[in-house]
Amino acid sequence: MCICINCRHIHLCKTYEFIEKQHLNDKASKKRNSFIPIKTMIIVRINKQHLNIYLDWDLKECSSFVEQPGNWISLL
């Protein structure tokens, strides 16, 4: 699971915007994100189901992370 959902910077974060684009989420492209976090580590899991391959993108580590549980709810 991406740690972004509990971060104070989720609404402005360029890395979160990138991950959302990888998940093909159209909402991400409509935002103007300006916050560039430092020392991030993105994990990409490769999942194969029958003949289809899916990539799952998650942010695992971020030095700019500031915990604010539930902050992502307003993104819905």
Side-chain angles (χ1 to χ4, degrees), residues 2-50:
C2 186
I3 65 170
C4 297
I5 65 167
N6 286 323
C7 184
R8 182 180 86 179
H9 305 294
I10 192 171
H11 301 289
L12 301 172
C13 185
K14 287 287 218 184
T15 302
Y16 181 73
E17 177 184 32
F18 171 79
I19 291 172
E20 285 294 295
K21 284 181 182 178
Q22 302 315 307
H23 283 273
L24 303 175
N25 185 337
D26 292 333
K27 291 180 184 177
S29 62
K30 296 176 185 174
K31 296 185 290 184
R32 295 185 135 205
N33 296 337
S34 58
F35 180 76
I36 300 172
I38 56 172
K39 296 184 183 176
T40 58
M41 180 172 37
I42 297 174
I43 302 293
V44 181
R45 292 180 187 85
I46 302 171
N47 300 313
K48 183 178 177 187
Q49 294 179 353
H50 305 289

